[in-house]
Amino acid sequence: MGKKTAEGQVIVVTSGKGGVGKTTTVANVASSLARLGHKVVVMDLDIGLKKLDLILGLENRVIYDIIQVIEGECTLKQALVKDKRFPDLYMLPAAQTRNKDDITPDQVKQLCAQLKKEFDYIFIDCPAGIEQGFRNAIAAADRAIVVTNPEVSAVRDADRIIGMLESANFKDIKLVVNRIRNDMVKSGDMLSIDDLLEHLCIDLLGVVPEDQNVVVSTNRGEPIILNEHAQASTAFNNIAHRTLGEQVDFPTFDDITLWTRIKSLGRNMFSGR
Amino acid sequence: MLDFLKRVFNAEDKSSKGQANNRLRLVLTHDRLGTSGLVMDAMKEEIIQVIAKHMEIEGVPEVKIITEGRHAAMDISIPLKGR
Ligand SMILES: Nc1ncnc2c1ncn2[C@@H]1O[C@H](COP(=O)(O)OP(=O)(O)OP(=O)(O)O)[C@@H](O)[C@H]1O
Ligand SMILES: [Mg+2]
């Protein structure tokens, strides 16, 4: 299938804190969009600590990496790894033996400008942290997805990242809450979606439950969206549809309706009066 | 400041989720402003002292941060004694 939109969109997936599910989100939302017939490329900017190839199960097909493209050792096209399971999913691998300072924001911008001509969506897998790797990852992005977990340290980092994205003039910043456990939320031992939205004050793009199937899929190198019985699979598919701008209801999350009600009462929930 | 925030962000909720929320409200407010509870308390004292140097304060002065969404403002309320 060919490219659908005139100009491709660059979407960075970031979090501040490590290990919250950025790479899992990139792999699955990108696969889901590719399955829906969009031309998608995932760019791994976690230089030196690459994982996207493993999570997608493409590690044995990597020949060149992004640094070799930048340094002119190969063409961009040569470095792109095609995913055989989806008609239009490609990966631009990170380099494992280099580090984040070996590329610059301008070089990422140039690569993205080229990729935009060929692809509908360019997903950037951002490394953890707020240093050079983060600056490279956001340099060319039109939109940002902030992934967090319902946990104080992840929320604090997400808030910092949102502040930095706002300073960088991002207008489209959306939240994905990963690894939520409804049973713990109900028993009062986990922050709810409501709570997270109140703290972070950005729009919700998706809610992914804690799901053992994610570990199983990761072991196998298969995107979880290929396991249609997994709860996380539905969640990632919904995120893909919302990324396209479609309205998809959030299933079975009582707190969201509550949040919508609170929001309509005005946002000054703790104005101190 | 610290005490004030703690009071407003009802410390009644004893669940671990409630505690997480209270701690987050404080820490995010301070992170966003690049300040800390200690700095806020010191500043509050200084502000009150400056006013007290020129005018007579009557009652309990209040210096607090109010937030709306990701925006914050300082709300200073100092009751003054008239003649
Ligand atoms: N919804 C989920 N349920 C269960 N396990 C999950 C879920 N999401 C992610 N994980 C697990 O958490 C781990 C970290 O996920 P992932 O690599 O996607 O995070 P990351 O944010 O990209 O990490 P890093 O900052 O190191 O790049 C993985 O082992 C993954 O299998
Ligand atoms: Mg990762």
Side-chain angles (χ1 to χ4, degrees), chain A residues 37 115 271 273:
Chain A
L115 291 169
S271 66
R273 275 160 224 267

Side-chain angles (χ1 to χ4, degrees), chain A residues 151-153 155-160 162-163 166 184-185 187-192 195-196 198-202 267-273, chain B residues 4-5 8-9 13-32 62 64-71 75:
Chain A
E151 186 214 311
V152 284
S153 60
V155 176
R156 185 185 204 172
D157 283 7
D159 190 70
R160 182 87 204 278
I162 293 164
E166 284 181 344
M184 289 187 72
V185 173
S187 69
D189 277 323
M190 182 174 274
L191 292 164
S192 67
D195 297 332
L196 296 178
E198 183 210 311
H199 292 303
L200 297 173
C201 311
I202 59 169
R267 275 195 155 187
N268 46 348
M269 299 187 51
F270 46 104
S271 66
R273 275 160 224 267
Chain B
F4 162 74
L5 280 174
V8 170
F9 304 145
D13 194 342
K14 285 279 172 7
S15 68
S16 77
K17 162 173 133 68
Q19 289 179 343
N21 275 323
N22 289 332
R23 293 173 64 215
L24 270 171
R25 286 188 189 109
L26 263 172
V27 87
L28 295 187
T29 302
H30 291 153
D31 282 359
R32 287 170 191 165
E62 271 198 293
K64 62 195 176 192
I65 303 288
I66 54 174
T67 55
E68 191 165 324
R70 300 183 62 83
H71 303 286
D75 190 30

Side-chain angles (χ1 to χ4, degrees), chain A residues 211-222:
Chain A
D211 186 343
Q212 295 181 357
N213 292 303
V214 173
V215 181
V216 176
S217 295
T218 306
N219 286 341
R220 298 208 164 108
E222 279 172 7

Side-chain angles (χ1 to χ4, degrees), chain A:
Chain A
M1 217 172 293
K3 188 171 181 312
K4 288 196 166 166
T5 49
E7 173 90 313
Q9 283 189 27
V10 183
I11 304 177
V12 62
V13 177
T14 181
S15 68
K17 187 172 190 283
V20 299
K22 295 177 291 298
T23 305
T24 305
T25 301
V26 167
N28 286 288
V29 177
S31 307
S32 186
L33 284 169
R35 189 165 62 177
L36 291 168
H38 298 274
K39 266 199 101 170
V40 186
V41 60
V42 291
M43 185 192 282
D44 189 354
L45 280 185
D46 203 345
I47 317 279
L49 289 171
K50 65 174 176 166
K51 296 169 274 272
L52 187 58
D53 56 342
L54 263 184
I55 289 190
L56 277 170
L58 296 176
E59 71 275 15
N60 292 326
R61 313 248 328 275
V62 173
I63 302 171
Y64 297 109
D65 62 53
I66 188 170
I67 303 248
Q68 289 174 303
V69 177
I70 287 169
E71 293 179 349
E73 277 179 51
C74 65
T75 64
L76 178 54
K77 212 173 162 187
Q78 284 174 318
L80 290 177
V81 179
K82 184 171 168 20
D83 190 319
K84 290 179 181 152
R85 293 159 300 198
F86 304 98
D88 269 322
L89 180 64
Y90 292 79
M91 176 184 67
L92 179 57
Q96 183 69 346
T97 54
R98 306 292 286 271
N99 60 62
K100 270 102 188 154
D101 305 329
D102 290 339
I103 58 173
T104 66
D106 277 338
Q107 289 167 334
V108 176
K109 277 188 204 162
Q110 279 167 26
L111 281 178
C112 286
Q114 274 178 272
L115 291 169
K116 273 183 170 189
K117 292 185 208 138
E118 296 292 324
F119 292 93
D120 297 314
Y121 293 97
I122 299 133
F123 278 88
I124 297 185
D125 189 11
C126 180
I130 52 171
E131 295 82 20
Q132 176 82 25
F134 170 73
R135 286 194 293 274
N136 288 337
I138 69 165
D142 304 302
R143 301 158 68 175
I145 296 176
V146 175
V147 182
T148 195
N149 296 153
E151 186 214 311
V152 284
S153 60
V155 176
R156 185 185 204 172
D157 283 7
D159 190 70
R160 182 87 204 278
I161 288 292
I162 293 164
M164 294 180 82
L165 290 168
E166 284 181 344
S167 306
N169 276 321
F170 273 78
K171 298 282 174 281
D172 190 338
I173 311 171
K174 298 225 161 66
L175 186 70
V176 166
V177 181
N178 187 26
R179 308 193 79 152
I180 194 132
R181 286 187 50 180
N182 260 336
D183 54 335
M184 289 187 72
V185 173
K186 288 222 173 79
S187 69
D189 277 323
M190 182 174 274
L191 292 164
S192 67
I193 299 302
D194 240 15
D195 297 332
L196 296 178
L197 294 175
E198 183 210 311
H199 292 303
L200 297 173
C201 311
I202 59 169
D203 290 336
L204 186 62
L205 183 68
V207 178
V208 185
E210 172 78 30
D211 186 343
Q212 295 181 357
N213 292 303
V214 173
V215 181
V216 176
S217 295
T218 306
N219 286 341
R220 298 208 164 108
E222 279 172 7
I224 182 103
I225 59 151
L226 291 176
N227 173 0
E228 49 202 69
H229 303 297
Q231 274 190 301
S233 169
T234 313
F236 284 120
N237 283 322
N238 287 346
I239 294 173
H241 282 286
R242 292 190 199 102
T243 302
L244 295 170
E246 293 167 24
Q247 221 42 59
V248 187
D249 288 343
F250 289 90
T252 67
F253 273 91
D254 322 328
D255 359 312
I256 287 165
T257 49
L258 174 66
W259 170 247
T260 316
R261 261 184 280 136
I262 292 170
K263 218 155 87 171
S264 66
L265 291 174
R267 275 195 155 187
N268 46 348
M269 299 187 51
F270 46 104
S271 66
R273 275 160 224 267

